[in-house]
Amino acid sequence: MSLYDRLNLKKPNRKLQVPIWERINLQRPEKLRCLSCRSRIQTNWQVCPFCSRVLINKSEQKRHCIWVDISQVLIGVEQKSTLINLIEDALSKVFSSFRSVNVFLTSEPPDPREWGEHFTHVHLLFHHEQVDYLGIASFNPGKVTNIAVVRLDQILHASYCADLSLEQLSNLIANTITHEIGHTLGLDHSNLPTDVMHDGLDHRIHSLMPPSFHAEQIIFMNYAINQFKSL
């Protein structure tokens, strides 16, 4: 509310004899603060840039569905129980990294009644054909796109060559999936070596930490989702 709106300078009925100090409200409106870190925030912010807390009500969020399809991974693969546990651990890290992003992440086929064909399909593949990438995705800066591919066989090969532990391998898988999903939500590559969106994930770095986004990236992805849902 502006100062003009908070002032009532209309001439009162002289018979009422209302003094001016009773007709003026100079109290400043309360400044908004984040409920988590108590930092000052603006009314149009969707995510707190200091702690990444989502500031808008869940009922107001426009979410985008992302299907991480693992159905083709286990075909013809030995030691399936170990691989299943590894993938489950990696997916839990992926889901955690998107906790402040307006997405519905699932490893099950999306309900067509709710999402129709408007979702992003992330294929986790295990092939013996040699390629020179760990993952690839459709990309349009600032826009939501609909497909990505993660080559689990190439990640396992890189892990074997680098002699990574299972925990390190889980981090590398999680970072690769998160990286490609980030592209489908409009994020470009980063020049920071430790960033999950770094151009060319390095197993020496990204096997040591689970994936995460900084506040600017979260705001950018949520903006792309809102624009996509508004079409």
Side-chain angles (χ1 to χ4, degrees):
M1 183 182 295
S2 67
L3 178 61
Y4 179 81
D5 293 329
R6 288 186 282 123
L7 294 176
N8 178 14
L9 299 180
K10 294 181 180 179
K11 290 184 179 181
N13 189 328
R14 293 186 178 181
K15 294 181 180 179
L16 298 178
Q17 297 295 318
V18 180
I20 190 171
W21 55 83
E22 292 183 9
R23 292 185 283 118
I24 297 178
N25 178 15
L26 294 179
Q27 292 182 351
R28 293 184 177 181
E30 183 180 357
K31 293 187 179 296
L32 296 178
R33 291 185 180 273
C34 174
L35 296 178
S36 292
C37 66
R38 304 304 300 168
S39 299
R40 289 186 177 179
I41 57 176
Q42 301 294 328
T43 55
N44 61 335
W45 289 0
Q46 297 183 357
V47 176
C48 175
F50 306 100
C51 68
S52 299
R53 177 188 173 92
V54 177
L55 301 175
I56 59 177
N57 296 327
K58 290 186 178 181
S59 60
E60 299 175 355
Q61 294 179 12
K62 298 178 180 179
R63 297 198 299 172
H64 178 63
C65 180
I66 297 177
W67 176 22
V68 183
D69 185 359
I70 64 173
S71 61
Q72 300 182 57
V73 168
L74 304 180
I75 299 176
V77 178
E78 298 179 356
Q79 297 178 337
K80 291 184 179 180
S81 60
T82 301
L83 186 58
I84 290 173
N85 292 334
L86 182 65
I87 293 175
E88 287 179 347
D89 185 61
L91 287 181
S92 69
K93 296 172 182 176
V94 173
F95 286 20
S96 178
S97 68
F98 284 94
R99 63 187 181 276
S100 295
V101 183
N102 300 337
V103 293
F104 173 71
L105 278 164
T106 178
S107 58
E108 300 293 333
D111 185 348
R113 294 171 298 178
E114 181 176 4
W115 304 105
E117 298 297 324
H118 303 292
F119 61 86
T120 296
H121 196 167
V122 181
H123 299 267
L124 234 65
L125 301 181
F126 195 104
H127 291 311
H128 296 291
E129 179 186 358
Q130 187 71 24
V131 293
D132 59 356
Y133 57 84
L134 301 183
I136 191 170
S138 55
F139 171 63
N140 190 355
K143 305 290 185 181
V144 173
T145 54
N146 63 356
I147 193 168
V149 173
V150 174
R151 289 292 298 268
L152 186 60
D153 54 306
Q154 297 303 310
I155 299 175
L156 292 176
H157 177 70
S159 170
Y160 176 79
C161 294
D163 194 24
L164 301 182
S165 66
L166 284 178
E167 177 63 21
Q168 291 173 318
L169 175 55
S170 172
N171 286 335
L172 186 58
I173 294 173
N175 273 282
T176 306
I177 296 174
T178 302
H179 179 101
E180 302 308 333
I181 293 177
H183 279 318
T184 68
L185 297 178
L187 291 185
D188 203 345
H189 282 139
S190 168
N191 293 324
L192 184 65
T194 56
D195 197 319
V196 68
M197 295 307 299
H198 180 63
D199 185 8
L201 293 175
D202 190 336
H203 64 79
R204 294 168 296 182
I205 298 175
H206 295 94
S207 64
L208 300 179
M209 64 187 79
S212 64
F213 293 104
H214 56 72
E216 184 179 357
Q217 291 171 324
I218 293 172
I219 293 172
F220 196 85
M221 287 187 286
N222 282 334
Y223 179 79
I225 292 170
N226 286 335
Q227 293 295 106
F228 177 73
K229 294 300 179 180
S230 298
L231 296 177

